[in-house]
Amino acid sequence: MAALVIAEHDGSHLRGGTANAVTAAHKMAGDVHVLVAGSNARAAAEAAARLAGVTKVLHVEAAHYDGGLAENYAALVVGLAKGYSHVVASASAFGKNFMPRVAALLDVAQVSEISGVVSADTFVRPIYAGNAFATVQSADAIKVVTVRATGFDAAAATGNAPIEAAAAGPDRQQSKVLSQELTKSARPELGGARRVVSGGRGLASGENFKLVEALADKLGAALGASRAAVDSGYCPNDYQVGQTGKIVAPELYIAVGISGAIQHLAGMKDSKVIVAINKDPEAPIFQVADYGLVGDLFQIVPELTQKL
């Protein structure tokens, strides 16, 4: 058996939990191949070749894969899938976009957002916003699986797999990328950060979000937010952590002014150490926190930042 992992990348670096998906795929099949598609993506292919457990990298050089268009990626992957027992991608926006198309075209059921691998055909996935876990078995000849990155360690860069050129699939021309607005920041990327500081509705305004930014900068942490903070316009929506945002599991997660609704907890409760700062001692966030500070965040956060 062999598994094909679809890499998410920006041309020079792997992104979106690809290294974690490789770890998961290695538990499903003996051989793990990684597909890197796009123009000027040789550096990303070389990065994939260095991942532990990868036995081969397929490099497709074609511009119509830039931007991650689902129609083109699905056509490419379906053409390759018949040579594999598993097709795997990270459950990022990229993977969630094209993998359901792959499953539909192959006429198989997708197994979504797994957090554990029991065997080659049996997987564990969270349900009910992460409050329960289902063990599911797939009888399909080709398993189409998306992987929750927080459930697996990233594969180490200790390998040296060969890179082979592969033929491009068709350009479906059903959609096109008109523009991209990329957020540039000196802070770590939220999805893979070791430390995250998140702000919630308790900050009361976008101006007060600077308190969270200052604390994050002291810790070298990524910035996160609850949906309430995003919906209130305090910060951009790419900061959102939760069931409808990003799933994170850093070594340290600090929740500032976040009550801890179940939808937010689903996105961060697997963090190694959780610190909650909230004036309400009955806030649900304290039920999952390792450390809790009950008090006025407008006093506590500046003092904490100063002492750090």
Side-chain angles (χ1 to χ4, degrees):
M1 295 190 299
L4 178 65
V5 176
I6 318 304
E8 181 179 355
H9 63 89
D10 61 6
S12 55
H13 300 93
L14 297 176
R15 301 175 57 197
T18 300
N20 308 76
V22 166
T23 299
H26 193 55
K27 295 182 178 182
M28 303 175 198
D31 288 333
V32 176
H33 298 174
V34 177
L35 172 65
V36 178
S39 62
N40 301 315
R42 180 71 187 187
E46 291 172 351
R50 290 192 292 271
L51 294 178
V54 174
T55 53
K56 183 166 66 175
V57 174
L58 301 177
H59 179 208
V60 176
E61 180 70 26
H64 58 269
Y65 298 113
D66 295 346
L69 295 175
E71 297 88 350
N72 290 341
Y73 260 95
L76 173 63
V77 173
V78 167
L80 296 169
K82 292 180 173 58
Y84 295 93
S85 57
H86 299 77
V87 177
V88 183
S90 176
S92 61
F94 169 75
K96 290 178 179 179
N97 192 25
F98 79 91
M99 286 289 273
R101 289 176 176 269
V102 171
L105 291 168
L106 292 173
D107 195 23
V108 301
Q110 177 176 301
V111 184
S112 302
E113 295 203 44
I114 68 163
S115 58
V117 177
V118 178
S119 65
D121 64 355
T122 307
F123 313 95
V124 177
R125 61 181 302 271
I127 57 175
Y128 302 128
N131 285 294
F133 291 87
T135 301
V136 296
Q137 186 175 35
S138 170
D140 292 318
I142 303 174
K143 280 72 172 171
V144 176
V145 183
T146 59
V147 174
R148 181 170 284 194
T150 56
F152 301 89
D153 294 331
T158 57
N160 187 25
I163 300 175
E164 294 184 6
D171 182 356
R172 294 296 189 190
Q173 297 184 342
Q174 291 174 287
S175 61
K176 62 182 178 180
V177 177
L178 296 179
S179 65
Q180 283 185 318
E181 294 184 16
L182 302 178
T183 301
K184 294 183 179 181
S185 174
R187 298 187 183 98
E189 182 187 3
L190 178 58
R194 295 175 57 201
R195 305 182 186 98
V196 175
V197 179
S198 285
R201 196 199 305 271
L203 287 163
S205 73
E207 181 68 21
N208 291 333
F209 214 82
K210 291 179 180 178
L211 296 174
V212 177
E213 293 176 356
L215 178 57
D217 290 342
K218 280 283 187 178
L219 290 168
L223 272 176
S226 67
R227 177 168 182 170
V230 171
D231 287 349
S232 299
Y234 300 169
C235 56
N237 61 7
D238 55 344
Y239 286 10
Q240 185 178 327
V241 173
Q243 186 177 9
T244 55
K246 294 182 179 177
I247 309 296
V248 300
E251 295 175 8
L252 173 65
Y253 187 90
I254 301 180
V256 179
I258 295 175
S259 64
I262 188 172
Q263 292 87 353
H264 185 77
L265 299 184
M268 45 65 70
K269 65 187 180 70
D270 290 330
S271 303
K272 306 300 183 293
V273 176
I274 299 172
V275 177
I277 301 173
N278 200 296
K279 67 180 181 181
D280 179 8
E282 302 300 322
I285 191 73
F286 289 121
Q287 297 177 13
V288 300
D290 298 286
Y291 299 93
L293 278 171
V294 178
D296 185 353
L297 68 87
F298 297 105
Q299 294 178 358
I300 292 173
V301 174
E303 183 179 355
L304 178 58
T305 304
Q306 181 186 11
K307 289 187 180 299
L308 286 169

